[in-house]
Amino acid sequence: MPAKPARWAADSVSMLREGARLRLDHTPQSLWSVDRVIAELRREDPPYEAVAHALRGFGAYAGEVLVRELGALWEESGDSYWLRTPDGTLWDPISEARRTFEGEGSLRLLCRDATGG
């Protein structure tokens, strides 16, 4: 299992706990909060490069939710990380975090789609 996404997710959990006093518990419901944090970032209108590191961590966190919920596994392809769920479907939560920042995605909905709930 690639360790990088798990590390990025852990860093995001720590950052939000310390900086925003937000506790993430690796449940699908916690992704509502992550989507809200990304929406707040978008309202501040920073350049993507200024928030890319944080978004990568938020996407990795969403991926770790799927790891815990579904037993998904991280796969590395070049510089990209994807999740494969037990049914063989590939998911890209890190890119979904970017799309969420652009107003075109949602980590919560990605998780809902992946879990069928």
Side-chain angles (χ1 to χ4, degrees):
M1 175 187 111
K4 287 182 181 181
R7 179 75 256 156
W8 298 333
D11 289 347
S12 291
V13 169
S14 294
M15 176 186 65
L16 288 176
R17 183 179 57 239
E18 294 168 12
R21 301 277 188 235
L22 180 63
R23 293 204 176 270
L24 299 177
D25 59 4
H26 290 87
T27 61
Q29 295 79 12
S30 68
L31 294 174
W32 283 86
S33 297
V34 178
D35 276 351
R36 281 195 303 272
V37 168
I38 294 172
E40 289 172 16
L41 285 175
R42 183 174 57 249
R43 279 193 290 280
E44 294 173 9
D45 199 29
Y48 173 76
E49 296 75 26
V51 295
H53 182 77
L55 293 172
R56 180 186 70 186
F58 296 151
Y61 172 77
E64 286 296 300
V65 170
L66 293 177
V67 166
R68 293 176 186 211
E69 286 291 307
L70 299 173
L73 297 173
W74 286 103
E75 293 186 5
E76 184 176 4
S77 174
D79 291 336
S80 299
Y81 292 89
W82 297 73
L83 277 174
R84 185 176 302 276
T85 51
D87 67 0
T89 304
L90 286 174
W91 301 89
D92 188 359
I94 294 173
S95 291
E96 188 68 15
R98 177 186 44 79
R99 286 189 292 276
T100 302
F101 177 71
E102 294 167 349
E104 299 173 2
S106 167
L107 294 173
R108 174 185 57 83
L109 294 178
L110 174 114
C111 184
R112 184 195 70 187
D113 290 347
T115 61

